[in-house]
Amino acid sequence: MSMTEDKLAGRTELENYLADQVDTAITNHNITVYYQPIIRTITGKICAFEALARWDDPVYGMITPSVFLAVLEATRQTHKLDAAMVDEVCRMLAGRQRNEQPLLPVSLNLSRMDFLAGDFFDIVEAAAMHYQLPRRLLRIEVTENLLAADTRITASLRRFHEAGYSVWLDDFGQGNSSLNVLKNTQFEALKIDLRFLAPFSPRAKNIIDSVVGMAKKMGIHTLAEGVETKEQVDFLTDIGCEQVQGFYFGRPMPMERVLAHCGKNGVLPEPLEADDCLSAAGIYEFDNKAPMILYELHNGRLRYLKATAAFDAALGKLGITSRNDLVRQTNPAAQDCLAAIRLGSMQAMKSGRKISQSFILQEALCLLEIVSISQYQQNRIFRCQLTVIPRTEVVDSFLLADP
């Protein structure tokens, strides 16, 4: 009895069929790549995609991924599927690059057999070179259980890092050694699957908040997958989770269909050249309880990326009804406040450090702290904290005191 036959002993006719047909399905393109959009929370735009295999069989029709993936794992054939996925993703990206269409990174899920059946790094590298693609367009995803199963995989991942590929830890928290994996292996990002924390209770929210906070302190980006409701999107945005993915934004589809679906809902791709800048802004420390905004300046025009209720309250103390009124400069207070923010932003950008300013507005002492975080082309991103202290005798005596 062959290894494949032994592994499939006692299985169904469908499972035996899939094990025997995988090579034919790959050759005939019955196995294809679908793409699920990944959304950056501070922009609401598509920043990447995850590549997912779909098997549309001429005999059995569309096969559920959990079924054919289990068969391929049992028969040690997942590396065949993953190699075909790499080639198809790279061919798609090369076509878009050739046609000058928007390009965004694509995540590839690797399995244990990818590392044990041969040198999968060489397969990915050869495809990137053949299709003349920058390595930043390909993200490598592995699960913590995979790393725990074989320490040799860590050494292989190091080659991806050193070559310039981004390596992500998928399903963080699902395994038994999450903290050890983080301690021993370098990752650019963690993926948190909300389905493992269902129901979306206050306790689950506290866990997610803690994981996102820990990742930020370690300089690791965060993505939540399995996002299905606006409540989840709003919560993840508030706690600083940088990217989200799930049925709320779209199911996996062929590339052109997923772009059309998202575009119909007003969700557009962001420029690839903005990725480093927006990633730096997303991971930067931001206190949701402080009067803060994260914003972009382009030719002096301010666009909010994130803001707190405390910032809105600070504006209210100055007679500025809303954030939009500040940008529109609907009254003299809004004009003066926006001018101070613009001036402080330019000073922070030139100095490369945090700028602190104070000024009197509407019978209140205003304290500004502005940090320049990142930039791409003519777009610059800043964080500003606005503290408003009502005028009192004590405040006036402080202001009039000799330095």
Side-chain angles (χ1 to χ4, degrees):
M1 182 179 287
S2 69
M3 178 182 292
T4 298
E5 291 171 338
D6 182 61
K7 290 284 186 181
L8 286 174
R11 291 183 182 268
T12 66
E13 179 182 338
L14 171 61
E15 290 169 329
N16 283 300
Y17 173 86
L18 295 175
D20 291 337
Q21 290 295 313
V22 61
D23 293 323
T24 301
I26 290 172
T27 300
N28 294 341
H29 299 289
N30 299 128
I31 297 179
T32 57
V33 181
Y34 277 30
Y35 299 89
Q36 188 167 36
I38 298 172
I39 311 300
R40 195 185 306 276
T41 54
I42 62 173
T43 64
K45 294 183 177 180
I46 306 170
C47 62
F49 297 93
E50 181 176 4
L52 299 163
R54 292 295 182 267
W55 189 333
D56 190 1
D57 187 76
V59 176
Y60 286 94
M62 190 66 76
I63 310 296
T64 302
S66 60
V67 173
F68 70 76
L69 289 174
V71 171
L72 297 185
E73 288 174 4
T75 56
R76 300 171 69 86
Q77 297 187 85
T78 52
H79 60 289
K80 298 177 181 179
L81 170 67
D82 294 340
M85 293 278 288
V86 169
D87 186 76
E88 186 171 338
V89 166
C90 288
R91 184 168 65 250
M92 179 277 298
L93 289 170
R96 295 186 66 83
Q97 183 172 253
R98 186 169 55 252
N99 295 328
E100 298 183 348
Q101 295 173 295
L103 287 170
L104 288 173
V106 176
S107 292
L108 300 161
N109 294 282
L110 302 194
S111 66
R112 185 168 180 264
M113 280 305 300
D114 293 337
F115 297 94
L116 302 185
D119 194 335
F120 208 79
F121 169 81
D122 287 344
I123 292 175
V124 176
E125 185 75 348
M129 294 181 65
H130 174 74
Y131 289 105
Q132 300 181 337
L133 296 174
R135 296 182 180 96
R136 67 184 299 186
L137 287 175
L138 300 175
R139 294 175 174 173
I140 306 302
E141 289 191 16
V142 295
T143 65
E144 60 185 271
N145 287 333
L146 182 150
L147 293 173
D150 198 309
T151 55
R152 291 174 293 175
I153 295 174
T154 300
S156 297
L157 289 179
R158 192 173 299 118
R159 294 188 67 193
F160 280 104
H161 274 296
E162 292 170 352
Y165 295 96
S166 178
V167 179
W168 289 45
L169 181 60
D170 196 9
D171 293 343
F172 178 75
Q174 183 186 6
N176 299 318
S177 55
S178 303
L179 298 181
N180 275 335
V181 167
L182 281 186
K183 177 172 66 72
N184 298 326
T185 310
Q186 179 184 350
F187 296 99
E188 276 70 39
L190 303 181
K191 293 188 71 173
I192 307 162
D193 194 332
L194 297 190
R195 288 168 292 191
F196 294 122
L197 290 166
F200 200 57
S201 63
R203 188 177 181 85
K205 291 179 180 180
N206 286 336
I207 293 171
I208 297 167
D209 192 3
S210 298
V211 170
V212 170
M214 176 193 68
K216 284 183 181 293
K217 290 180 180 178
M218 297 178 67
I220 300 175
H221 300 284
T222 51
L223 181 153
E225 58 183 337
V227 176
E228 298 183 351
T229 67
K230 186 177 186 303
E231 177 197 359
Q232 292 173 338
V233 174
D234 292 344
F235 168 75
L236 293 164
T237 301
D238 287 344
I239 66 171
C241 185
E242 298 170 60
Q243 299 177 24
V244 288
Q245 171 187 355
F247 290 169
Y248 182 78
F249 296 100
R251 295 175 179 272
M253 307 177 197
M255 179 57 76
E256 294 307 319
R257 279 176 53 194
V258 76
L259 287 172
H261 169 81
C262 289
K264 184 178 179 180
N265 294 316
V267 181
L268 303 175
E270 67 183 27
L272 177 63
E273 58 269 20
D275 182 55
D276 289 342
C277 173
L278 292 170
S279 293
I283 203 171
Y284 203 83
E285 181 182 0
F286 189 90
D287 186 348
N288 285 318
K289 296 180 180 179
M292 279 188 178
I293 53 171
L294 189 70
Y295 59 100
E296 180 182 79
L297 275 182
H298 177 72
N299 293 332
R301 191 170 182 177
L302 186 149
R303 183 172 74 89
Y304 299 106
L305 298 175
K306 192 173 182 180
T308 67
F311 182 82
D312 294 338
L315 292 181
K317 294 176 183 178
L318 300 175
I320 303 171
T321 306
S322 69
R323 279 174 260 149
N324 288 334
D325 285 344
L326 174 65
V327 173
R328 297 189 190 111
Q329 304 179 71
T330 55
N331 60 30
Q335 295 171 9
D336 293 343
C337 187
L338 183 60
I341 291 174
R342 283 173 172 162
L343 176 61
S345 301
M346 295 302 102
Q347 291 175 343
M349 181 188 68
K350 291 177 182 178
S351 68
R353 57 183 177 81
K354 180 167 68 176
I355 291 296
S356 298
Q357 293 182 342
S358 63
F359 57 95
I360 301 295
L361 187 61
Q362 295 292 94
E363 295 300 314
L365 172 62
C366 300
L367 305 177
L368 277 180
E369 289 186 351
I370 298 178
V371 180
S372 177
I373 299 174
S374 56
Q375 72 176 80
Y376 71 98
Q377 298 177 353
Q378 299 302 311
N379 302 274
R380 297 176 174 86
I381 295 179
F382 302 86
R383 188 198 70 187
C384 170
Q385 179 167 334
L386 170 64
T387 303
V388 178
I389 305 173
R391 291 280 294 273
T392 64
E393 291 184 6
V394 174
V395 171
D396 287 344
S397 64
F398 170 77
L399 294 174
L400 295 174
D402 292 333

